[in-house]
Amino acid sequence: KEWTFSNGFKVVFKSMPTGGRIYYNLALNGGFGSVEGLQKGEGGYIGDYFMFSRIYNIPAKDFIGLMASEGMSMDVHVGLNAMMVSGAADADKPDFMLKSLLAVMNGRKRDDDAVRYYESAEGLRHQMRKGTSAEMVAKVNDLMCPDYTHVSYKMLETLSPDLSDKAERFFMNQVAKTNDGL
């Protein structure tokens, strides 16, 4: 079944034997490729910044934990062309699922302390990624397409000091155009 609301937002529903679970995916047009001024290697970081926020004054990680205690999961992924908020909930809690999605979209604000901590520890995480197959693929891609800036591999050496501001503008833009989603 497909519904289109008066604001243009579309919902597609398919009943399937899911063992009493509802699986959802909120897909919003526009990914890190739409972020202006993004440096090469910053695209992979944009999605991380979602977790460095507060949702109605609850740290995002605690909010996700609260949802888990109610049988619901949520994951946020930002790709090149789209942002996805997906997960699952118990079939008897559709109201909780929808209210949680509304809270994430309407009640999220950046947590500057969490952002500073994340950015201060990125050097350690970067060291842990060294030598991985993902790093090797990124290096080969960089050799083959040196001018391509929209890569999803995280490159510490190209980070700009205003990356968290770019990520915040991106998330605010995504919320503003929620009617352009599925």
Side-chain angles (χ1 to χ4, degrees):
K1 296 178 184 178
E2 183 177 320
W3 299 285
T4 302
F5 292 93
S6 60
N7 67 355
F9 192 80
K10 293 180 183 176
V11 174
V12 176
F13 172 80
K14 180 165 175 77
S15 182
M16 299 176 69
T18 60
R21 302 284 285 164
I22 296 172
Y23 293 88
Y24 68 92
N25 185 19
L26 172 62
L28 299 171
N29 290 328
F32 66 80
S34 66
V35 177
E36 289 197 27
L38 202 64
Q39 302 297 314
K40 180 185 259 184
E42 289 183 330
Y45 289 99
I46 297 294
D48 292 354
Y49 279 92
F50 175 82
M51 290 306 290
F52 313 123
S53 58
R54 298 179 77 77
I55 300 167
Y56 287 115
N57 211 26
I58 300 171
K61 288 184 180 185
D62 292 346
F63 186 84
I64 300 287
L66 172 69
M67 290 186 332
S69 73
E70 292 292 324
M72 183 174 167
S73 64
M74 182 178 284
D75 181 53
V76 176
H77 172 74
V78 178
L80 178 62
N81 298 313
M83 175 179 158
M84 308 281 193
V85 181
S86 59
D90 293 334
D92 62 346
K93 296 185 180 175
D95 288 349
F96 182 74
M97 178 192 75
L98 291 172
K99 287 177 182 176
S100 296
L101 280 170
L102 280 172
V104 165
M105 297 308 290
N106 296 325
R108 192 198 69 75
K109 295 204 185 304
R110 178 172 58 187
D111 182 343
D112 290 329
D113 291 336
V115 167
R116 279 191 291 276
Y117 178 78
Y118 171 77
E119 290 175 348
S120 70
E122 179 51 25
L124 291 172
R125 286 188 297 277
H126 180 69
Q127 289 300 320
M128 292 172 56
R129 288 191 297 269
K130 286 214 175 270
T132 63
S133 59
E135 182 191 39
M136 299 306 158
V137 168
K139 286 182 178 184
V140 169
N141 285 341
D142 195 34
L143 288 172
M144 293 172 59
C145 306
D147 296 333
Y148 185 66
T149 59
H150 293 95
V151 296
S152 60
Y153 185 76
K154 298 174 180 176
M155 298 178 179
L156 178 65
E157 52 280 352
T158 60
L159 291 183
S160 57
D162 64 340
L163 181 58
S164 66
D165 294 333
K166 293 175 192 175
E168 186 63 17
R169 282 191 302 275
F170 168 77
F171 288 121
M172 289 173 68
N173 185 45
Q174 290 300 90
V175 169
K177 63 179 188 149
T178 301
N179 64 337
D180 187 23
L182 177 68

